[in-house]
Amino acid sequence: MGGSVEDGEPMSSSNFLDPAKMEEFGAAESAERDPESHSSMQQPLLKRHRTLSSVPLAMVGAKVSYIESLDYEINENDLFKQDWRSRSSAQVLQYIFLKWALAFLVGLLTGIIASLINLAVENLAGYKLLFISGFIEQKRYLMGFIYLTTANFVFTFIAAVLCVCFAPTAAGPGIPEIKAYLNGVDTPDMYGAMPLIVKIFGSIGAVSAGLDLGKEGPLVHIGSCIASLLGQGGPENYRLKWRWLRYFNNDRDRRDLITCGASSGVCAAFRAPVGGVLFALEEVATWWRSALLWRSFFSTAVVVVVLRAFMEYCGSGKCGLFGRGGLIMFDVSDVTVTYRAADVIPVVLIGVLGGVLGSLYNHLLHKVLVVYNLINQKGKLHKLLLSLAVSLFTSGCLFGLPFLAKCSPCDPSILEACPTNGRTGNFKQFNCPAGYYNDLASLLFSTNDDAVRNIFSTNTTTEFHPLSLTIFFGLYLILGLITFGIAVPSGLFLPIILMGAAYGRMLGMAMGSYTNIDQGLYAVLGSASLMAGSMRMTVSLCVIFLELTNNLLLLPITMLVLLIAKTVGDCFNPSIYEIILHLKGLPFLEGHPEPWMRNITVGELADVKPPVVSLRGVEKVGRIVEVLKNTTHNGFPVIDDGVVPPVGLSDASMELHGIILRAHLLQVLQKKWFLSEPRRTEEWEVREKFTWIDLSERQLNIKDVAVTKDEMEMYVDLHPLTNTTPYTVIESLSVAKALVLFREVGLRHMLIVPKYQSSGADPVIGILTRQDLRAQNILNVFPDLAKPKRREKKN
């Protein structure tokens, strides 16, 4: 009975979809039965360790093992209370110091790894482009094309093989899975050492291959992996048994560390410390508090210091080709931003365009990912071939399309060198004669970071032709759709920035003398609008762009563009990350309940569920083994009979003592903490056998525990291990209110108690889990609930 998805029970994506869309997702059946629903033990036993066979991951192309919820709630049993009472002031200070020390290490390691990734990408991609430029200068176009295609093919092959064969969960950006984890879903195999290693080298290979993807999303995942590994003391099979780390052997503290890691990853991607913290607050974290804000900010500050030191060191040419490029910093501080009342019209227009195009991009990407899902189901070879096919297509477009652009004469008034044949520069000569440049080659024949820097260039009103920008926008729209979803680490930020900058600059050119705003600033606003239209971020995105561009005067119009784009996009479809979450079948709980959820109570929800499986305070070993074998629930109410009633009650009553977790019952069976007769144990007996560190372990399985026939007749006192302060709600509470409480507090189980308690009646009438509170699962049981809403839409 655990939170969202129980041990071994597969999650169907149809739980998230309208019935009309189930065929589109390839779901052959409706929402699957919730294994957390306390089904009767007379029903057929659930099969354990099944995969998500109905929903292979679209981005990863691999089948995931069972998914569980996380125990963010503090388990206040007798051992926990005893531990806190016995902690000295020195141990409390040790715990606080270690939190800050780990936050520092998260920032330090994320900054170092991000620097090394940038260094590797700039040198690998840079030398590749230099060699090809040499062939083009010599008019050896065929050799240049063969070299470009071969290099990109090899880089993509390395990245794809790493993901397909060693860590399938390292494919894609990783941000949706981080959102799900911080929401309370234990996304499996996401934060280990192998995904971290594959994410690092896979990102280097994929970005160096010139694919239409960025390293920003993978950096967020890398930061989260670092944080998780530090908190656990290393990989699962090789953990450090350092006694200080015992404090962090719980889901609650691990969640805080992963939040710091996500903030550090965004900061490392954009050199935006404040934006990184706000990204974690706005986009990925479900639960937040002020202490976490400070530690996240501390981590991002460390990242910025590391990146600055790295740039200072490499500024003198000690890092090969790493120089101006590498770390995204699109400085437009040299432009004086002035507004007129008439400038409001193009600013509003670019916001509306961003919302429409962003929602359209989400819709098309969703269709592509459904197709990729079908391809990826066929096996590793198909995933690898798909990635290589995209690489070949990308190489052909990058090399061939610049020949469609006309050569433009260099403007002698521009101080920058023109034309250029090196790796960087706004005015690439490519196939043009002396004194001329190819504007489309300046965008396509460079690294993604340099491409953004070129298209954001200011005071260059005649640099780009509208046809070149149109070709660039169309190409990156197609490449963005077909690249995201292949089996390599990929981020969405940079492709969307490039597309948005293209149409933003085109709008600036169309406005001409009507506006005072520079075309480069229109490109910045276009990028912001498309990101808001697709990802639906506002506050964090605004701060990230201000830190990227280093121009505070952009604040008013950037805020306006973001708000308009998000509002327009919300009218059509969810954000891109929500779409990916749904496609992956991750049971993410939304922040806002559906209006019809107020029409049903948790008591009515409990009535349609099978009876609760509960245990007695002093229970027989045989009964515990039977329950664990015949159910997959992760929590069981503990009830005592014949409790001395309060004053005013004459009959003996039943008492809800609390809830006990499956993991704790398995610990009892493994340690054989049995009694020969039914009795309550003393405090010293419990401490002699268990520590609170023991209760943090989650690795045991009932199949691994051996209990003899004689032991089956013995007893266990469950009182010391029972969480005596579970969250309970009265049966008349609305499902909408229960959903908000469940999500905000980060619960795994919510007990439903009767409104009227009669003598001898069961004190628990049901348990709510993540599955129970998901909208589609409720509609499967109460299909008429949403009908009034649909009729209103028709009217």
Side-chain angles (χ1 to χ4, degrees):
M1 176 188 104
S4 53
V5 187
E6 198 48 44
D7 295 355
E9 184 69 9
M11 175 60 64
S12 169
S13 65
S14 59
N15 293 337
F16 284 99
L17 307 174
D18 292 331
K21 295 184 179 179
M22 288 183 183
E23 282 189 32
E24 182 181 350
F25 279 86
E29 55 189 11
S30 59
E32 302 195 24
R33 181 167 55 89
D34 180 11
E36 287 259 44
S37 64
H38 278 255
S39 57
S40 171
M41 289 187 293
Q42 278 68 46
Q43 295 178 354
L45 302 185
L46 296 174
K47 296 180 181 179
R48 298 179 62 79
H49 303 301
R50 292 199 293 178
T51 61
L52 299 180
S53 54
S54 58
V55 192
L57 294 190
M59 259 54 64
V60 177
K63 296 177 182 179
V64 179
S65 59
Y66 62 89
I67 301 175
E68 291 188 7
S69 289
L70 297 164
D71 289 310
Y72 288 153
E73 181 186 356
I74 295 177
N75 193 39
E76 293 186 348
N77 54 30
D78 291 349
L79 280 175
F80 174 84
K81 296 173 184 176
Q82 171 62 27
D83 173 71
W84 274 101
R85 285 196 300 266
S86 62
R87 284 190 187 183
S88 63
S89 300
Q91 288 177 313
V92 174
L93 288 175
Q94 183 188 70
Y95 174 63
I96 296 172
F97 170 78
L98 190 57
K99 276 189 173 183
W100 286 95
L102 288 176
F104 171 80
L105 289 175
V106 167
L108 178 66
L109 293 176
T110 304
I112 292 173
I113 290 176
S115 301
L116 295 177
I117 289 175
N118 281 283
L119 178 64
V121 167
E122 287 300 302
N123 281 283
L124 290 174
Y127 281 115
K128 177 189 72 176
L129 293 174
L130 283 176
F131 277 118
I132 300 166
S133 297
F135 286 122
I136 293 175
E137 278 187 78
Q138 301 169 20
K139 307 298 182 182
R140 300 172 62 188
Y141 297 123
L142 180 59
M143 284 301 299
F145 174 69
I146 293 174
Y147 186 91
L148 174 68
T149 304
T150 304
N152 290 347
F153 186 91
V154 171
F155 286 141
T156 305
F157 180 80
I158 293 172
V161 165
L162 286 173
C163 286
V164 170
C165 298
F166 296 99
T169 52
I175 294 178
E177 290 86 351
I178 296 171
K179 282 173 62 76
Y181 183 91
L182 298 179
N183 188 258
V185 180
D186 187 11
T187 47
D189 303 322
M190 282 298 299
Y191 306 105
M194 187 56 69
L196 173 62
I197 295 170
V198 171
K199 203 81 173 186
I200 293 171
F201 291 100
S203 296
I204 293 172
V207 178
S208 300
L211 296 173
D212 185 20
L213 47 81
K215 53 187 176 292
E216 295 73 32
L219 277 173
V220 180
H221 188 192
I222 287 170
S224 300
C225 286
I226 292 171
S228 178
L229 290 171
L230 285 173
Q232 294 179 98
E236 205 167 282
N237 298 330
Y238 304 97
R239 286 186 184 178
L240 294 175
K241 299 300 182 181
W242 194 28
R243 62 184 184 87
W244 279 29
L245 289 174
R246 69 185 188 274
Y247 293 130
F248 293 89
N249 194 18
N250 63 81
D251 294 335
R252 191 180 181 89
D253 284 317
R254 190 179 176 212
R255 170 188 63 185
D256 290 354
L257 273 175
I258 288 178
T259 304
C260 291
S263 303
S264 300
V266 175
C267 176
F270 296 107
R271 281 182 59 204
V274 180
V277 175
L278 292 176
F279 176 83
L281 172 62
E282 178 183 9
E283 186 62 22
V284 298
T286 299
W287 186 84
W288 198 265
R289 68 178 190 278
S290 58
L292 183 57
L293 175 70
W294 282 104
R295 280 198 298 278
S296 299
F297 186 65
F298 176 59
S299 294
T300 57
V302 174
V303 173
V304 168
V305 171
V306 172
L307 294 180
R308 172 53 62 184
F310 174 72
M311 293 184 69
E312 291 293 333
Y313 177 79
C314 292
S316 56
K318 299 177 182 177
C319 301
L321 296 179
F322 185 90
R324 284 183 57 200
L327 290 171
I328 299 179
M329 191 64 180
F330 313 123
D331 196 331
V332 293
S333 58
D334 57 336
V335 180
T336 302
V337 182
T338 56
Y339 312 111
R340 297 180 305 175
D343 292 328
V344 174
I345 297 176
V347 168
V348 171
L349 178 60
I350 205 168
V352 173
L353 276 174
V356 173
L357 292 176
S359 58
L360 177 63
Y361 183 78
N362 291 358
H363 176 74
L364 295 176
L365 186 59
H366 165 255
K367 301 295 183 184
V368 172
L369 292 179
V370 171
V371 175
Y372 278 11
N373 186 27
L374 299 176
I375 297 174
N376 291 336
Q377 286 184 36
K378 297 182 179 180
K380 294 181 179 180
L381 181 61
H382 287 79
K383 287 185 278 187
L384 184 60
L385 291 176
L386 177 62
S387 302
L388 296 177
V390 171
S391 174
L392 292 175
F393 178 77
T394 302
S395 299
C397 292
L398 295 180
F399 190 88
L401 287 178
F403 288 96
L404 299 178
K406 294 181 179 180
C407 295
S408 303
C410 293
D411 188 348
S413 64
I414 296 178
L415 300 178
E416 188 174 347
C418 178
T420 59
N421 291 309
R423 178 178 62 91
T424 60
N426 259 31
F427 306 95
K428 290 285 184 70
Q429 185 174 358
F430 200 67
N431 62 328
C432 296
Y436 287 78
Y437 71 95
N438 188 317
D439 60 340
L440 188 55
S442 301
L443 298 176
L444 296 181
F445 215 67
S446 57
T447 61
N448 284 341
D449 290 359
D450 283 332
V452 179
R453 196 170 287 105
N454 293 343
I455 203 169
F456 277 10
S457 62
T458 54
N459 299 317
T460 54
T461 55
T462 60
E463 178 181 356
F464 297 102
H465 292 289
L467 178 61
S468 297
L469 290 175
T470 304
I471 294 174
F472 179 79
F473 174 79
L475 173 64
Y476 266 74
L477 174 62
I478 295 172
L479 291 181
L481 291 173
I482 67 173
T483 304
F484 188 79
I486 62 176
V488 297
S490 58
L492 279 168
F493 284 96
L494 210 58
I496 291 177
I497 286 176
L498 286 167
M499 283 187 288
Y503 77 74
R505 190 154 192 127
M506 283 191 287
L507 182 62
M509 295 170 66
M511 290 298 165
S513 58
Y514 177 81
T515 177
N516 290 335
I517 302 177
D518 189 275
Q519 289 181 15
L521 299 185
Y522 268 107
V524 174
L525 294 176
S527 297
S529 69
L530 190 59
M531 288 186 74
S534 176
M535 300 180 180
R536 312 292 157 80
M537 297 186 296
T538 52
V539 179
S540 59
L541 197 57
C542 182
V543 175
I544 287 173
F545 267 88
L546 291 180
E547 291 180 291
L548 276 177
T549 57
N550 198 26
N551 196 329
L552 193 60
L553 295 175
L554 283 173
L555 178 62
I557 53 176
T558 304
M559 292 173 63
L560 182 61
V561 163
L562 292 174
L563 288 171
I564 294 173
K566 182 185 184 304
T567 303
V568 173
D570 283 338
C571 296
F572 296 99
N573 52 30
S575 73
I576 186 62
Y577 292 132
E578 291 180 34
I579 290 174
I580 296 171
L581 279 169
H582 295 172
L583 279 172
K584 291 195 172 189
L586 295 173
F588 185 85
L589 287 184
E590 302 293 345
H592 304 289
E594 298 287 344
W596 51 262
M597 287 185 176
R598 301 195 180 278
N599 300 330
I600 183 173
T601 66
V602 294
E604 292 171 323
L605 206 58
D607 289 339
V608 298
K609 296 180 63 176
V612 177
V613 178
S614 59
L615 298 172
R616 302 303 173 189
V618 179
E619 187 61 85
K620 207 170 185 178
V621 174
R623 164 69 176 169
I624 296 175
V625 172
E626 178 193 9
V627 167
L628 294 180
K629 284 185 175 180
N630 293 331
T631 70
T632 54
H633 312 330
N634 273 307
F636 303 91
V638 176
I639 297 172
D640 281 329
D641 291 324
V643 177
V644 177
V647 177
L649 295 178
S650 57
D651 300 328
S653 60
M654 300 178 69
E655 176 193 60
L656 171 61
H657 189 73
I659 187 170
I660 189 165
L661 300 181
R662 165 181 286 266
H664 297 171
L665 293 173
L666 291 171
Q667 288 282 342
V668 168
L669 297 180
Q670 186 195 42
K671 290 179 178 291
K672 298 191 179 298
W673 190 54
F674 304 148
L675 304 171
S676 58
E677 58 184 19
R679 65 175 178 87
R680 297 286 290 264
T681 54
E682 301 293 335
E683 190 175 289
W684 63 268
E685 294 180 272
V686 185
R687 295 203 308 271
E688 190 178 65
K689 200 72 172 180
F690 295 96
T691 66
W692 65 275
I693 301 174
D694 294 331
L695 300 186
S696 299
E697 296 299 328
R698 297 287 189 270
Q699 311 303 323
L700 286 177
N701 190 305
I702 185 60
K703 295 179 180 178
D704 304 325
V705 178
V707 181
T708 66
K709 186 175 181 180
D710 292 338
E711 290 171 340
M712 288 284 197
E713 301 302 319
M714 301 180 75
Y715 297 88
V716 176
D717 180 18
L718 300 180
H719 294 95
L721 306 180
T722 301
N723 178 10
T724 57
T725 59
Y727 282 86
T728 61
V729 295
I730 198 165
E731 60 180 323
S732 58
L733 186 78
S734 71
V735 171
K737 201 169 183 179
L739 172 63
V740 173
L741 177 62
F742 197 97
R743 185 180 188 272
E744 295 298 326
V745 182
L747 300 181
R748 189 174 189 178
H749 312 101
M750 180 184 286
L751 304 185
I752 306 173
V753 298
K755 188 173 184 179
Y756 303 103
Q757 180 68 58
S758 59
S759 177
D762 200 323
V764 178
I765 62 175
I767 294 184
L768 290 181
T769 65
R770 180 176 296 267
Q771 282 279 57
D772 301 323
L773 293 171
R774 291 168 61 206
Q776 187 58 48
N777 284 355
I778 299 175
L779 287 178
N780 287 336
V781 182
F782 301 99
D784 295 333
L785 279 174
K787 284 185 178 178
K789 181 182 176 182
R790 292 169 182 163
R791 283 198 296 268
E792 288 172 7
K793 282 187 176 181
K794 291 178 182 178
N795 293 335

